[in-house]
Amino acid sequence: APQESSAQSAAAHSGGFYYTVQRGDTLYGIARYYGVSAQAILDANGIYNPNHIYVGQRLLIPGAQAPAPAPAPAPGC
């Protein structure tokens, strides 16, 4: 299993969460959506080039709360 860096560990315990990059995502779009700076995501994940994220990558989103899970569909719908 990958080891968390001390920055990742600290952010995870101070309200951060992990987001898995989806097709079409950009670092700046993810940052804007979760209300954090792109630089904060770069720093928390040890990324130096914001253009080098890839589908399936797990990014620590520091200082943000994970979105609530989508509600289950109603029976019979």
Side-chain angles (χ1 to χ4, degrees):
Q3 295 288 326
E4 285 188 345
S5 72
S6 58
Q8 288 174 324
S9 180
H13 296 294
S14 63
F17 71 98
Y18 284 95
Y19 172 78
T20 301
V21 177
Q22 305 295 310
R23 186 175 185 188
D25 281 345
T26 65
L27 185 81
Y28 296 102
I30 295 166
R32 185 174 57 242
Y33 183 82
Y34 290 109
V36 299
S37 72
Q39 189 62 51
I41 296 173
L42 291 171
D43 292 346
N45 292 281
I47 298 171
Y48 298 101
N49 184 337
N51 297 314
H52 288 169
I53 64 169
Y54 54 89
V55 173
Q57 181 178 11
R58 288 182 70 217
L59 294 176
L60 180 63
I61 311 298
Q65 292 185 359
C77 290

